[in-house]
Amino acid sequence: MPKPKGQNHTRNAMTELEAKAFKGPGRLNDGGGLSLVVTAAGYRRWILRFTFGGKQRDLLLGSTSKITLKQARSAREKAHGYLSEGINPNGVMSARARKSQEVIAAGIPNFGNFSEQYVNELAPSLKNKKSRQPWDLTINTYCKSIKNFPINIITVDDVAGVLRPIWTAKFETAKKVRWRIEAIFAAAIVKGYREKDQRGEIIQRENPAKLEYISQLPGFKKPKGGNHTKHLPAMAYQDTPAFVSQLRQAEGFSARALELTIFTACRTGDAIGAVWSEIDFDKAIWTIPAIRMKMAREHMIPLVPHVVELLSCLDRTEASQFLFPGTLSKKHLSNMAMLKRLERMGHGDVTTHGFRTAFRTWASECTEHPREIAEMALAHQIGSDVERAYNRTTLIEKRRQLMGEWTAYCLSGV
């Protein structure tokens, strides 16, 4: 661009005629940091240049087709007023800031507030304050740059800005931070906060923290040594019937919780955090709400007769809402309880989560059920976003048949 005209002019240095006649490309100054900028492509915009925090910054006021010279000057004075109060005008006057104010007025929460709400609702499944700390660190430290943004205007680039500083230096941490952000946005989508505002404007509904989006951006390749998947130790499905026979002889909540985990192929947290209100004995369905699921989507598990009988025989007290209460009535069973049970039974070399692997391998090698049925039983996403939008069935009865066969197989050693 050529040297700005009127660089040292006092305020109101240009006239309306000069502004209209300026074709650019270049910058025509009006003084006080206000300029008319014309790009090589012919775009005409009002830009206010100012210094804040020791750095020179630009504030886009808008195009000349929407803002007159008089209005641009008025905005300049308003911005200088904010500067005199130690406030960055970009935070309150930029197009994004104005959009933020509009959607907040429409009842859309910002990322920080919604995240706090999400974690508070998740609290019953968090063991203690220590297990909540990673969530708080994600929200208040790593996501500080987007914390005050309305949750329906945050983009993939915004999330990338959160992750980029730690992606290489702290790759394992970055993976967990990205997963937590994705879970928060998944919950926001379920609640409809990324669909439309009160003015009816369509908002990008996609989850901006999905790995498939983040990984396409520059600088997000997996670092060397960080691209090896760590598989959790699993019991071979051929050994599961004998183990289940042994397990049924054991007493205590940890043994029954482990049975439920094996027969339903659910995750550890799903089982120990289960509450009685999630169980529909009449329909033989266990509905885990989105707030408790890893992918923040409601998951319905069909309960076969043996599992219904297992749950019916559990000791149920008014003091606890949990199927498997802990030593304190308001807490559920420890997430280490099932692992300790495995150790006591001589199987400390496998994990509770590994029984999901055993189920999935058995379903592939020993049944003719479609892959999609087995994946849905594990609460995995199937197909693209478009496919899922049109296919909203849970295939509950087909999954019930599969889980019935798996349970029968597990009990074959009894």
Side-chain angles (χ1 to χ4, degrees):
M1 286 186 179
K3 184 178 179 180
K5 180 182 176 181
Q7 180 75 35
N8 299 317
H9 285 186
T10 57
R11 291 174 188 254
N12 305 340
M14 75 174 78
T15 65
E16 291 278 4
L17 288 176
E18 287 177 327
K20 290 179 180 179
F22 183 63
K23 303 301 181 183
R27 181 188 297 264
L28 182 65
N29 285 348
D30 188 53
L34 178 63
S35 300
L36 168 60
V37 176
V38 181
T39 68
Y43 295 109
R44 302 169 59 84
R45 298 163 177 166
W46 297 109
I47 302 288
L48 178 66
R49 179 159 290 179
F50 62 94
T51 300
F52 185 84
K55 295 182 179 180
Q56 194 174 70
R57 306 167 191 264
D58 284 342
L59 170 62
L60 173 62
L61 300 178
S63 68
T64 57
S65 63
K66 295 182 178 180
I67 298 178
T68 65
L69 174 58
K70 182 178 180 180
Q71 290 172 326
R73 286 170 174 169
S74 177
R76 175 185 61 194
E77 302 312 314
K78 184 177 181 180
H80 286 177
Y82 282 123
L83 286 170
S84 66
E85 297 174 11
I87 300 172
N88 184 349
N90 262 320
V92 289
M93 292 181 64
S94 65
R96 179 160 202 163
R98 293 195 299 271
K99 177 69 174 177
S100 298
Q101 293 163 6
E102 290 170 357
V103 293
I104 289 174
I108 303 298
N110 62 33
F111 179 84
N113 289 339
F114 182 80
S115 299
E116 290 292 339
Q117 176 189 340
Y118 175 81
V119 176
N120 288 337
E121 291 176 357
L122 191 66
S125 66
L126 299 177
K127 185 175 65 172
N128 49 39
K129 290 183 178 179
K130 186 176 181 180
S131 61
R132 176 172 174 146
Q133 285 177 354
W135 288 93
D136 291 336
L137 186 65
T138 294
I139 297 166
N140 299 315
T141 301
Y142 293 117
C143 292
K144 188 176 181 180
S145 62
I146 63 171
K147 187 175 179 181
N148 294 322
F149 289 175
I151 203 158
N152 65 345
I153 69 169
I154 295 173
T155 66
V156 175
D157 286 335
D158 293 325
V159 177
V162 170
L163 298 173
R164 189 169 280 112
I166 58 174
W167 193 258
T168 301
K170 302 178 181 180
F171 183 62
E172 292 302 318
T173 297
K175 288 197 300 183
K176 294 174 183 178
V177 169
R178 187 208 61 78
W179 172 80
R180 294 186 194 104
I181 298 173
E182 182 180 17
I184 291 168
F185 275 106
I189 290 171
V190 169
K191 291 181 179 290
Y193 287 143
R194 285 182 63 84
E195 290 182 348
K196 294 181 180 180
D197 60 22
Q198 287 186 347
R199 297 174 302 168
E201 290 190 357
I202 298 176
I203 306 298
Q204 183 182 5
R205 194 176 190 273
E206 294 295 326
N207 193 317
K210 290 181 71 170
L211 181 59
E212 63 184 275
Y213 300 150
I214 297 295
S215 60
Q216 295 176 14
L217 299 178
F220 282 93
K221 291 183 179 179
K222 289 184 179 180
K224 293 181 179 180
N227 56 353
H228 300 292
T229 301
K230 182 179 180 181
H231 296 288
L232 296 174
M235 179 178 292
Y237 74 84
Q238 296 91 338
D239 298 331
T240 304
F243 173 75
V244 169
S245 177
Q246 181 187 4
L247 179 63
R248 295 191 72 202
Q249 306 305 313
E251 297 183 354
F253 279 130
S254 63
R256 302 292 78 79
L258 187 51
E259 274 193 84
L260 178 66
T261 302
I262 294 172
F263 294 141
T264 61
C266 69
R267 296 182 175 89
T268 297
D270 300 339
I272 63 176
V275 295
W276 288 106
S277 60
E278 295 173 359
I279 309 298
D280 187 331
F281 283 99
D282 293 332
K283 295 181 179 179
I285 291 177
W286 172 19
T287 303
I288 308 177
I291 198 67
R292 288 213 306 114
M293 291 299 297
K294 178 180 179 180
M295 299 307 296
R297 297 191 315 274
E298 181 182 88
H299 181 50
M300 298 173 66
I301 299 178
L303 303 177
V304 300
H306 178 78
V307 176
V308 171
E309 181 182 359
L310 184 157
L311 297 180
S312 300
C313 293
L314 291 177
D315 292 332
R316 185 172 180 177
T317 65
E318 295 182 358
S320 177
Q321 62 175 328
F322 297 106
L323 273 63
F324 307 106
T327 53
L328 299 177
S329 60
K330 293 184 179 180
K331 299 288 185 179
H332 55 63
L333 197 66
S334 165
N335 62 356
M336 292 296 293
M338 288 188 277
L339 284 176
K340 293 295 184 182
R341 170 65 64 178
L342 284 166
E343 289 180 4
R344 290 196 294 272
M345 295 175 65
H347 294 283
D349 57 329
V350 299
T351 63
T352 308
H353 193 89
F355 286 104
R356 286 166 57 85
T357 303
F359 161 76
R360 187 64 184 88
T361 306
W362 167 86
S364 295
E365 296 186 1
C366 302
T367 79
E368 298 297 326
H369 289 278
R371 168 187 173 276
E372 290 77 9
I373 303 299
E375 289 296 299
M376 290 185 74
L378 293 169
H380 288 167
Q381 285 190 343
I382 303 298
S384 66
D385 291 334
V386 173
E387 289 174 315
R388 290 193 295 273
Y390 285 97
N391 182 18
R392 300 184 182 182
T393 177
T394 59
L395 300 175
I396 195 76
E397 294 308 318
K398 290 186 177 181
R399 288 195 285 124
R400 191 187 300 278
Q401 182 181 350
L402 172 62
M403 302 315 293
E405 292 177 20
W406 167 243
T407 301
Y409 174 78
C410 290
L411 294 172
S412 63
V414 176

